[in-house]
Coordinates of all heavy atoms in Angstrom, one line a residue:
K1 N -103.4 -146.2 -144.9 CA -102.7 -145.2 -144.1 C -101.3 -145.0 -144.7 O -100.6 -146.0 -145.0 CB -102.6 -145.6 -142.7 CG -103.9 -145.6 -141.9 CD -103.6 -146.0 -140.4 CE -104.8 -146.0 -139.6 NZ -104.6 -146.3 -138.3
T2 N -100.8 -143.8 -144.6 CA -99.4 -143.6 -144.9 C -98.6 -143.9 -143.7 O -99.1 -144.0 -142.6 CB -99.1 -142.1 -145.3 OG1 -99.4 -141.3 -144.1 CG2 -100.0 -141.7 -146.4
A3 N -97.2 -144.0 -143.9 CA -96.3 -144.3 -142.8 C -96.5 -143.2 -141.7 O -96.4 -143.5 -140.5 CB -94.9 -144.5 -143.3
Y4 N -96.6 -142.0 -142.2 CA -96.7 -140.9 -141.2 C -98.0 -141.0 -140.4 O -98.0 -140.7 -139.2 CB -96.7 -139.5 -142.0 CG -96.7 -138.3 -141.1 CD1 -95.5 -138.0 -140.4 CD2 -97.8 -137.6 -140.8 CE1 -95.5 -136.9 -139.5 CE2 -97.8 -136.5 -140.0 CZ -96.6 -136.2 -139.3 OH -96.6 -135.1 -138.5
E5 N -99.1 -141.4 -141.0 CA -100.3 -141.5 -140.3 C -100.2 -142.7 -139.3 O -100.7 -142.6 -138.1 CB -101.5 -141.8 -141.2 CG -101.9 -140.6 -142.0 CD -102.9 -140.9 -143.1 OE1 -102.7 -142.0 -143.8 OE2 -103.8 -140.1 -143.4
I6 N -99.6 -143.8 -139.7 CA -99.4 -144.9 -138.7 C -98.5 -144.4 -137.6 O -98.9 -144.7 -136.4 CB -98.8 -146.1 -139.5 CG1 -99.7 -146.7 -140.5 CG2 -98.3 -147.2 -138.5 CD1 -99.1 -147.7 -141.4
Y7 N -97.5 -143.7 -137.9 CA -96.6 -143.2 -136.8 C -97.4 -142.3 -135.9 O -97.3 -142.4 -134.7 CB -95.4 -142.5 -137.4 CG -94.9 -141.3 -136.7 CD1 -94.2 -141.3 -135.5 CD2 -95.2 -140.0 -137.3 CE1 -93.8 -140.2 -134.9 CE2 -94.7 -138.9 -136.6 CZ -94.0 -139.0 -135.4 OH -93.6 -137.8 -134.8
Q8 N -98.2 -141.4 -136.4 CA -99.0 -140.5 -135.6 C -100.0 -141.2 -134.8 O -100.3 -140.9 -133.6 CB -99.7 -139.5 -136.5 CG -98.9 -138.4 -137.1 CD -98.4 -137.4 -136.1 OE1 -99.0 -137.3 -135.0 NE2 -97.4 -136.7 -136.4
C9 N -100.7 -142.3 -135.3 CA -101.8 -142.9 -134.7 C -101.4 -144.1 -133.8 O -101.9 -144.3 -132.7 CB -102.8 -143.4 -135.7 SG -103.5 -142.2 -136.7
D10 N -100.4 -144.8 -134.2 CA -100.1 -146.1 -133.5 C -98.8 -146.2 -132.8 O -98.5 -147.2 -132.1 CB -100.1 -147.2 -134.5 CG -101.5 -147.4 -135.2 OD1 -102.5 -147.0 -134.6 OD2 -101.5 -147.9 -136.3
W11 N -98.0 -145.2 -132.9 CA -96.6 -145.2 -132.2 C -95.9 -146.5 -132.5 O -95.3 -147.1 -131.6 CB -96.8 -144.9 -130.7 CG -97.1 -143.5 -130.4 CD1 -98.2 -142.9 -130.6 CD2 -96.2 -142.6 -129.8 NE1 -98.1 -141.6 -130.2 CE2 -96.9 -141.4 -129.7 CE3 -94.8 -142.6 -129.4 CZ2 -96.3 -140.2 -129.2 CZ3 -94.2 -141.5 -128.9 CH2 -95.0 -140.3 -128.8
S12 N -95.9 -146.9 -133.7 CA -95.3 -148.2 -134.1 C -93.8 -148.0 -134.3 O -93.3 -147.1 -134.9 CB -95.9 -148.6 -135.5 OG -95.3 -149.8 -135.9
S13 N -93.0 -148.9 -133.7 CA -91.6 -148.8 -133.7 C -91.0 -149.4 -134.9 O -89.8 -149.2 -135.2 CB -91.0 -149.5 -132.5 OG -91.3 -150.9 -132.5
D14 N -91.8 -150.0 -135.8 CA -91.2 -150.6 -137.0 C -91.7 -149.9 -138.3 O -91.5 -150.5 -139.4 CB -91.4 -152.1 -137.0 CG -92.9 -152.5 -137.1 OD1 -93.8 -151.5 -136.9 OD2 -93.2 -153.6 -137.2
V15 N -92.3 -148.7 -138.2 CA -92.7 -148.0 -139.4 C -91.6 -147.4 -140.1 O -90.7 -146.8 -139.5 CB -93.8 -147.0 -139.0 CG1 -94.1 -146.1 -140.2 CG2 -95.0 -147.6 -138.4
C16 N -91.5 -147.6 -141.4 CA -90.5 -147.0 -142.3 C -91.2 -146.2 -143.4 O -92.0 -146.8 -144.1 CB -89.6 -148.0 -142.8 SG -88.2 -147.3 -143.8
S17 N -90.9 -145.0 -143.5 CA -91.4 -144.1 -144.6 C -90.6 -144.4 -145.8 O -89.4 -144.0 -145.9 CB -91.4 -142.7 -144.1 OG -91.8 -141.9 -145.2
S18 N -91.1 -145.1 -146.8 CA -90.3 -145.5 -147.9 C -89.8 -144.4 -148.7 O -88.7 -144.6 -149.3 CB -91.2 -146.5 -148.8 OG -92.3 -145.8 -149.3
D19 N -90.5 -143.3 -148.8 CA -90.0 -142.2 -149.7 C -88.8 -141.5 -149.1 O -87.9 -141.0 -149.8 CB -91.1 -141.2 -150.0 CG -91.7 -140.6 -148.7 OD1 -91.7 -141.2 -147.7 OD2 -92.3 -139.5 -148.9
L20 N -88.6 -141.4 -147.7 CA -87.5 -140.7 -147.1 C -86.6 -141.7 -146.4 O -85.5 -141.3 -146.0 CB -88.0 -139.7 -146.1 CG -88.9 -138.6 -146.6 CD1 -89.4 -137.7 -145.5 CD2 -88.1 -137.7 -147.6
G21 N -87.0 -142.9 -146.2 CA -86.2 -143.9 -145.4 C -86.3 -143.6 -143.9 O -85.5 -144.1 -143.1
A22 N -87.2 -142.7 -143.5 CA -87.4 -142.4 -142.1 C -87.9 -143.6 -141.3 O -88.8 -144.4 -141.9 CB -88.3 -141.2 -141.9
Y23 N -87.4 -143.9 -140.1 CA -87.7 -145.1 -139.4 C -88.1 -144.9 -138.0 O -87.5 -144.0 -137.3 CB -86.5 -146.0 -139.5 CG -86.7 -147.3 -138.8 CD1 -87.5 -148.3 -139.3 CD2 -86.0 -147.6 -137.6 CE1 -87.6 -149.5 -138.7 CE2 -86.2 -148.8 -136.9 CZ -87.0 -149.7 -137.5 OH -87.1 -150.9 -136.8
G24 N -89.1 -145.7 -137.5 CA -89.4 -145.7 -136.1 C -90.4 -144.6 -135.6 O -91.0 -143.9 -136.4
I25 N -90.6 -144.6 -134.3 CA -91.5 -143.7 -133.7 C -91.2 -142.2 -134.0 O -92.1 -141.5 -134.4 CB -91.5 -143.9 -132.2 CG1 -92.1 -145.3 -131.9 CG2 -92.3 -142.9 -131.5 CD1 -91.9 -145.8 -130.4
A26 N -90.0 -141.8 -133.9 CA -89.6 -140.5 -134.2 C -89.4 -140.2 -135.7 O -89.2 -139.0 -136.1 CB -88.3 -140.1 -133.5
Q27 N -89.5 -141.2 -136.6 CA -89.4 -141.1 -138.0 C -88.1 -140.4 -138.3 O -88.1 -139.4 -139.1 CB -90.6 -140.4 -138.6 CG -91.8 -141.3 -138.7 CD -91.7 -142.4 -139.6 OE1 -91.8 -142.2 -140.8 NE2 -91.3 -143.6 -139.2
L28 N -87.0 -140.8 -137.8 CA -85.7 -140.2 -138.1 C -85.2 -140.8 -139.4 O -85.2 -142.0 -139.6 CB -84.7 -140.5 -136.9 CG -85.0 -140.0 -135.5 CD1 -84.0 -140.5 -134.5 CD2 -85.2 -138.5 -135.5
K29 N -84.6 -139.9 -140.2 CA -84.1 -140.3 -141.5 C -82.7 -140.9 -141.2 O -82.1 -140.7 -140.2 CB -83.9 -139.1 -142.4 CG -85.3 -138.5 -142.8 CD -85.1 -137.4 -143.8 CE -84.6 -136.1 -143.2 NZ -84.6 -135.0 -144.1
P30 N -82.2 -141.7 -142.2 CA -80.9 -142.4 -142.0 C -79.8 -141.5 -141.6 O -79.0 -141.7 -140.7 CB -80.7 -143.1 -143.3 CG -82.0 -143.3 -143.9 CD -82.8 -142.1 -143.4
E31 N -79.7 -140.3 -142.3 CA -78.6 -139.3 -142.0 C -78.8 -138.8 -140.5 O -77.8 -138.4 -139.9 CB -78.6 -138.2 -143.0 CG -79.8 -137.4 -143.2 CD -80.7 -137.9 -144.3 OE1 -80.7 -139.1 -144.6 OE2 -81.6 -137.1 -144.8
T32 N -80.0 -138.7 -140.0 CA -80.2 -138.2 -138.7 C -79.7 -139.2 -137.6 O -79.1 -138.9 -136.7 CB -81.7 -137.8 -138.4 OG1 -82.1 -136.9 -139.4 CG2 -81.9 -137.2 -137.1
W33 N -80.0 -140.5 -137.9 CA -79.5 -141.6 -137.0 C -78.0 -141.5 -136.9 O -77.4 -141.5 -135.9 CB -79.9 -142.9 -137.5 CG -81.4 -143.3 -137.3 CD1 -82.4 -143.3 -138.2 CD2 -81.9 -143.8 -136.1 NE1 -83.5 -143.7 -137.6 CE2 -83.3 -144.0 -136.3 CE3 -81.5 -144.1 -134.8 CZ2 -84.2 -144.5 -135.3 CZ3 -82.3 -144.5 -133.8 CH2 -83.7 -144.8 -134.1
Q34 N -77.4 -141.3 -138.1 CA -75.9 -141.2 -138.2 C -75.4 -140.0 -137.5 O -74.4 -140.1 -136.8 CB -75.5 -141.2 -139.7 CG -74.1 -141.4 -139.9 CD -73.8 -141.6 -141.4 OE1 -74.5 -141.0 -142.3 NE2 -72.7 -142.4 -141.7
L35 N -76.0 -138.8 -137.7 CA -75.6 -137.6 -137.1 C -75.6 -137.7 -135.5 O -74.8 -137.2 -134.8 CB -76.5 -136.5 -137.5 CG -76.3 -135.1 -136.9 CD1 -75.0 -134.5 -137.4 CD2 -77.5 -134.2 -137.1
L36 N -76.7 -138.4 -135.0 CA -76.8 -138.6 -133.6 C -75.9 -139.8 -133.1 O -75.8 -140.0 -131.9 CB -78.2 -139.0 -133.2 CG -79.3 -137.9 -133.5 CD1 -80.7 -138.4 -133.3 CD2 -79.0 -136.7 -132.7
N37 N -75.2 -140.4 -134.0 CA -74.3 -141.5 -133.7 C -75.0 -142.7 -132.9 O -74.6 -143.2 -131.9 CB -73.1 -141.0 -132.8 CG -71.9 -142.0 -132.8 OD1 -71.8 -142.8 -133.8 ND2 -71.2 -142.0 -131.8
I38 N -76.2 -143.0 -133.5 CA -77.1 -144.0 -132.9 C -77.5 -145.0 -134.1 O -77.9 -144.5 -135.1 CB -78.4 -143.5 -132.3 CG1 -78.0 -142.5 -131.1 CG2 -79.3 -144.6 -131.8 CD1 -79.2 -141.7 -130.6
Q39 N -77.4 -146.2 -133.8 CA -77.8 -147.2 -134.8 C -79.3 -147.3 -134.8 O -79.9 -147.3 -133.8 CB -77.2 -148.6 -134.5 CG -75.8 -148.7 -134.7 CD -75.4 -148.7 -136.2 OE1 -76.2 -148.8 -137.1 NE2 -74.1 -148.5 -136.4
P40 N -80.0 -147.3 -136.0 CA -81.4 -147.5 -136.0 C -81.8 -148.8 -135.3 O -81.0 -149.8 -135.4 CB -81.7 -147.6 -137.5 CG -80.6 -146.9 -138.2 CD -79.4 -147.1 -137.3
T41 N -82.8 -148.8 -134.6 CA -83.2 -149.9 -133.8 C -84.7 -150.1 -133.8 O -85.4 -149.1 -133.9 CB -82.7 -149.8 -132.3 OG1 -83.2 -150.9 -131.5 CG2 -83.2 -148.5 -131.7
S42 N -85.2 -151.3 -133.5 CA -86.6 -151.5 -133.4 C -87.1 -151.4 -132.0 O -88.3 -151.5 -131.7 CB -87.0 -153.0 -133.9 OG -86.3 -153.9 -133.1
D43 N -86.2 -151.1 -131.1 CA -86.5 -150.8 -129.6 C -87.2 -149.5 -129.5 O -86.6 -148.4 -129.7 CB -85.3 -150.9 -128.8 CG -85.5 -150.6 -127.3 OD1 -86.5 -150.0 -126.9 OD2 -84.7 -151.1 -126.5
G44 N -88.5 -149.5 -129.2 CA -89.3 -148.2 -129.1 C -88.7 -147.3 -128.1 O -88.7 -146.1 -128.3
Y45 N -88.2 -147.8 -126.9 CA -87.7 -146.9 -125.9 C -86.4 -146.2 -126.4 O -86.2 -145.0 -126.2 CB -87.3 -147.7 -124.6 CG -88.5 -148.2 -123.9 CD1 -88.8 -149.5 -124.0 CD2 -89.3 -147.4 -123.2 CE1 -90.0 -150.0 -123.3 CE2 -90.5 -147.8 -122.5 CZ -90.8 -149.2 -122.6 OH -91.9 -149.7 -121.9
A46 N -85.6 -146.9 -127.1 CA -84.3 -146.3 -127.7 C -84.7 -145.3 -128.8 O -84.0 -144.3 -128.9 CB -83.4 -147.4 -128.2
Q47 N -85.8 -145.6 -129.5 CA -86.2 -144.6 -130.6 C -86.7 -143.3 -130.0 O -86.4 -142.3 -130.5 CB -87.3 -145.3 -131.4 CG -86.9 -146.4 -132.3 CD -88.0 -147.0 -133.0 OE1 -89.1 -146.6 -133.0 NE2 -87.7 -148.1 -133.8
I48 N -87.4 -143.4 -128.9 CA -87.9 -142.2 -128.2 C -86.7 -141.4 -127.7 O -86.6 -140.2 -127.8 CB -88.9 -142.5 -127.1 CG1 -90.2 -143.0 -127.7 CG2 -89.2 -141.3 -126.2 CD1 -91.2 -143.6 -126.8
D49 N -85.7 -142.1 -127.1 CA -84.5 -141.5 -126.6 C -83.8 -140.8 -127.8 O -83.3 -139.6 -127.6 CB -83.5 -142.4 -125.9 CG -84.0 -142.9 -124.6 OD1 -84.9 -142.2 -124.0 OD2 -83.5 -143.9 -124.1
A50 N -83.7 -141.4 -128.9 CA -83.1 -140.8 -130.1 C -83.8 -139.6 -130.6 O -83.2 -138.6 -130.9 CB -83.0 -141.9 -131.2
G51 N -85.2 -139.7 -130.5 CA -86.0 -138.5 -130.9 C -85.8 -137.3 -130.0 O -85.7 -136.2 -130.4
L52 N -85.7 -137.6 -128.7 CA -85.4 -136.5 -127.7 C -84.0 -136.0 -127.9 O -83.8 -134.8 -127.8 CB -85.7 -137.0 -126.3 CG -87.1 -137.4 -126.0 CD1 -87.2 -138.1 -124.6 CD2 -88.0 -136.1 -126.0
K53 N -83.1 -136.8 -128.2 CA -81.7 -136.3 -128.5 C -81.7 -135.4 -129.7 O -81.0 -134.4 -129.7 CB -80.8 -137.5 -128.7 CG -79.3 -137.2 -128.8 CD -78.4 -138.4 -128.8 CE -77.0 -138.1 -128.9 NZ -76.1 -139.3 -129.0
Y54 N -82.4 -135.8 -130.7 CA -82.6 -135.0 -131.9 C -83.2 -133.6 -131.6 O -82.6 -132.6 -132.0 CB -83.4 -135.7 -133.0 CG -83.8 -134.7 -134.1 CD1 -82.9 -134.4 -135.1 CD2 -85.1 -134.1 -134.1 CE1 -83.3 -133.5 -136.1 CE2 -85.5 -133.3 -135.1 CZ -84.6 -132.9 -136.1 OH -84.9 -132.0 -137.1
I55 N -84.2 -133.6 -130.8 CA -84.9 -132.4 -130.4 C -83.9 -131.5 -129.6 O -83.8 -130.3 -129.9 CB -86.2 -132.6 -129.7 CG1 -87.3 -133.2 -130.6 CG2 -86.7 -131.4 -129.0 CD1 -88.5 -133.7 -130.0
D56 N -83.2 -132.1 -128.7 CA -82.2 -131.3 -127.9 C -81.2 -130.7 -128.8 O -80.8 -129.6 -128.7 CB -81.5 -132.2 -126.9 CG -82.3 -132.4 -125.6 OD1 -83.4 -131.8 -125.4 OD2 -81.9 -133.3 -124.8
R57 N -80.7 -131.5 -129.8 CA -79.6 -131.0 -130.7 C -80.1 -130.0 -131.6 O -79.4 -129.0 -131.9 CB -79.1 -132.2 -131.4 CG -77.9 -131.9 -132.4 CD -77.5 -133.1 -133.1 NE -76.4 -132.8 -134.0 CZ -75.1 -133.1 -133.8 NH1 -74.8 -133.7 -132.7 NH2 -74.2 -132.7 -134.6
H58 N -81.4 -130.1 -132.1 CA -81.9 -129.2 -133.1 C -82.5 -128.0 -132.5 O -82.4 -126.9 -133.1 CB -82.9 -130.0 -134.0 CG -83.3 -129.3 -135.2 ND1 -82.4 -129.1 -136.3 CD2 -84.4 -128.6 -135.6 CE1 -83.1 -128.4 -137.3 NE2 -84.2 -128.1 -136.8
Y59 N -83.2 -128.1 -131.4 CA -84.0 -127.0 -130.8 C -83.4 -126.5 -129.5 O -84.0 -125.5 -129.0 CB -85.4 -127.4 -130.6 CG -86.1 -127.7 -131.9 CD1 -86.3 -129.0 -132.4 CD2 -86.6 -126.7 -132.7 CE1 -86.9 -129.3 -133.6 CE2 -87.3 -126.9 -133.9 CZ -87.4 -128.2 -134.3 OH -88.0 -128.5 -135.5
G60 N -82.3 -127.0 -129.0 CA -81.7 -126.6 -127.8 C -82.2 -127.4 -126.6 O -83.3 -128.0 -126.7
K61 N -81.4 -127.5 -125.6 CA -81.7 -128.3 -124.4 C -82.7 -127.5 -123.5 O -82.8 -126.3 -123.6 CB -80.5 -128.7 -123.7 CG -79.5 -129.6 -124.4 CD -78.4 -130.0 -123.6 CE -77.4 -130.8 -124.4 NZ -77.8 -132.1 -124.7
G62 N -83.4 -128.2 -122.7 CA -84.3 -127.6 -121.7 C -85.7 -127.8 -122.0 O -86.1 -128.3 -123.1
K63 N -86.5 -127.4 -121.1 CA -88.0 -127.5 -121.2 C -88.6 -126.9 -122.5 O -89.5 -127.4 -123.1 CB -88.7 -126.9 -120.0 CG -88.4 -127.6 -118.7 CD -89.1 -126.9 -117.6 CE -88.6 -127.5 -116.2 NZ -89.2 -126.8 -115.1
G64 N -88.1 -125.8 -122.9 CA -88.6 -125.1 -124.1 C -88.4 -125.8 -125.4 O -89.1 -125.6 -126.4
A65 N -87.4 -126.7 -125.5 CA -87.1 -127.4 -126.7 C -88.2 -128.2 -127.2 O -88.6 -128.1 -128.4 CB -85.8 -128.2 -126.6
I66 N -88.9 -128.9 -126.4 CA -90.0 -129.8 -126.8 C -91.1 -128.9 -127.3 O -91.8 -129.2 -128.3 CB -90.5 -130.7 -125.6 CG1 -89.4 -131.6 -125.2 CG2 -91.7 -131.4 -126.0 CD1 -89.4 -133.0 -125.5
C67 N -91.4 -127.8 -126.6 CA -92.5 -126.9 -127.0 C -92.2 -126.2 -128.3 O -93.0 -126.1 -129.2 CB -92.7 -125.8 -125.9 SG -93.4 -126.5 -124.4
T68 N -90.9 -125.9 -128.5 CA -90.5 -125.3 -129.8 C -90.6 -126.3 -130.9 O -91.1 -125.9 -132.0 CB -89.0 -124.7 -129.7 OG1 -89.0 -123.8 -128.6 CG2 -88.6 -124.1 -131.0
A69 N -90.2 -127.5 -130.7 CA -90.3 -128.5 -131.7 C -91.8 -128.8 -132.1 O -92.1 -128.9 -133.2 CB -89.6 -129.8 -131.2
Y70 N -92.6 -128.8 -131.1 CA -94.0 -129.1 -131.3 C -94.7 -127.9 -132.1 O -95.5 -128.1 -133.0 CB -94.8 -129.3 -130.0 CG -96.2 -129.7 -130.1 CD1 -96.6 -130.8 -130.8 CD2 -97.2 -128.9 -129.6 CE1 -97.9 -131.1 -131.0 CE2 -98.5 -129.2 -129.8 CZ -98.9 -130.3 -130.5 OH -100.2 -130.6 -130.6
A71 N -94.3 -126.7 -131.7 CA -94.8 -125.5 -132.4 C -94.4 -125.6 -133.9 O -95.2 -125.2 -134.8 CB -94.4 -124.2 -131.7
H72 N -93.2 -125.9 -134.1 CA -92.7 -126.1 -135.5 C -93.4 -127.1 -136.2 O -93.8 -126.9 -137.4 CB -91.2 -126.4 -135.5 CG -90.5 -126.4 -136.8 ND1 -90.6 -127.5 -137.6 CD2 -89.9 -125.4 -137.5 CE1 -90.0 -127.2 -138.7 NE2 -89.6 -126.0 -138.7
H73 N -93.7 -128.3 -135.6 CA -94.4 -129.3 -136.2 C -95.8 -128.9 -136.6 O -96.3 -129.2 -137.6 CB -94.5 -130.5 -135.2 CG -95.5 -131.6 -135.6 ND1 -95.3 -132.4 -136.7 CD2 -96.7 -131.9 -135.2 CE1 -96.3 -133.2 -136.9 NE2 -97.2 -132.9 -135.9
L74 N -96.5 -128.1 -135.7 CA -97.8 -127.6 -136.0 C -97.8 -126.7 -137.2 O -98.7 -126.7 -138.0 CB -98.4 -127.0 -134.8 CG -98.8 -127.9 -133.6 CD1 -99.3 -127.1 -132.4 CD2 -99.8 -128.9 -134.0
A75 N -96.8 -125.8 -137.2 CA -96.7 -124.8 -138.3 C -96.3 -125.4 -139.6 O -96.8 -125.0 -140.7 CB -95.7 -123.7 -137.9
K76 N -95.3 -126.4 -139.6 CA -94.7 -126.9 -140.8 C -95.1 -128.3 -141.2 O -94.9 -128.8 -142.3 CB -93.2 -126.9 -140.7 CG -92.6 -125.5 -140.4 CD -92.6 -124.6 -141.6 CE -91.9 -123.3 -141.2 NZ -91.9 -122.4 -142.3
G77 N -95.6 -129.1 -140.2 CA -96.0 -130.5 -140.4 C -94.8 -131.4 -140.3 O -95.0 -132.6 -140.5
W78 N -93.7 -130.9 -139.8 CA -92.5 -131.8 -139.5 C -91.7 -131.1 -138.4 O -91.9 -130.0 -138.1 CB -91.7 -132.0 -140.8 CG -91.2 -130.8 -141.4 CD1 -91.8 -130.0 -142.3 CD2 -89.9 -130.2 -141.2 NE1 -91.0 -128.9 -142.6 CE2 -89.8 -129.0 -142.0 CE3 -88.8 -130.5 -140.4 CZ2 -88.7 -128.2 -142.0 CZ3 -87.7 -129.7 -140.4 CH2 -87.7 -128.5 -141.2
Y79 N -90.8 -131.8 -137.8 CA -90.0 -131.3 -136.8 C -88.6 -131.6 -137.2 O -87.6 -131.4 -137.1 CB -90.3 -131.8 -135.4 CG -90.1 -133.2 -135.2 CD1 -88.9 -133.7 -134.6 CD2 -91.0 -134.2 -135.6 CE1 -88.7 -135.0 -134.3 CE2 -90.8 -135.5 -135.4 CZ -89.7 -135.9 -134.7 OH -89.4 -137.2 -134.6

């Protein structure tokens, strides 16, 4: 399995995509962790919070942001 498949299937908090350096459940790249002003962590709850913070920042706050991010993921394969 690739890191992306493991992330998709297992929600593993310690998966690191070696080609991009993306880490954790949300597979945030090092520069994204830095942009969000959050230290990369193995804590799955904190990773989910960081992923939601990224979605809010990138797609706008509110109920529609998650749907917009998911639609983008379906269309492009990434969010």
